[in-house]
Amino acid sequence: MAYDAELADRIRELIAAERGVEEKAMFGGLAFLINGNMAVVVSSKGGLMVRVPRDQTEALLSRDHVEPMVMAGREARGWLRVRPAGITTKRQLKPWVTRGVEYARALPPK
């Protein structure tokens, strides 16, 4: 399954004013990087992968449509998967994109 091009366009719209944005094909999806650090990924499995501070992970997992991100059978700490039902509207999507962008921006540039 290819990634959701419409979701990628919605993210582009939300981060259009950001500096240091780069897009890269990764994990079968499309990653949005800020100064070389991944912020969010439009997943080829549907939905969104979001980079979050590890200390916020547990609290965020209690939200609807959110689950741990698992790659190669292991949970990727500091990352969450938001299922498509949790990002259908701009109001739902924007906080996730903002959270990922802010976290990536706080990391040292690569």
Side-chain angles (χ1 to χ4, degrees):
M1 174 179 170
Y3 68 85
D4 182 340
E6 182 182 323
L7 177 55
D9 286 341
R10 291 172 57 209
I11 292 169
R12 286 183 191 106
E13 179 183 319
L14 290 172
I15 63 174
E18 291 289 331
R19 293 184 322 264
V21 175
E22 181 183 357
E23 296 180 23
K24 268 191 185 175
M26 298 178 124
F27 314 117
L30 183 66
F32 290 84
L33 295 85
I34 305 294
N35 297 326
N37 294 296
M38 281 194 291
V40 295
V41 180
V42 180
S43 176
S44 62
K45 295 179 181 177
L48 188 68
M49 299 182 321
V50 183
R51 192 169 195 177
V52 298
R54 289 181 183 193
D55 63 346
Q56 294 179 14
T57 302
E58 286 303 314
L60 293 170
L61 281 170
S62 67
R63 295 183 180 202
D64 290 340
H65 313 293
V66 178
E67 58 195 35
M69 190 178 101
V70 177
M71 292 186 71
R74 294 180 57 200
E75 187 175 325
R77 290 188 284 172
W79 284 90
L80 297 174
R81 178 177 299 281
V82 183
R83 292 186 298 271
I87 51 173
T88 57
T89 67
K90 185 175 184 176
R91 184 176 180 185
Q92 290 174 309
L93 178 62
K94 186 176 180 175
W96 290 112
V97 172
T98 299
R99 183 175 279 111
V101 167
E102 286 176 355
Y103 186 66
R105 184 161 305 290
L107 298 172
K110 290 186 176 182

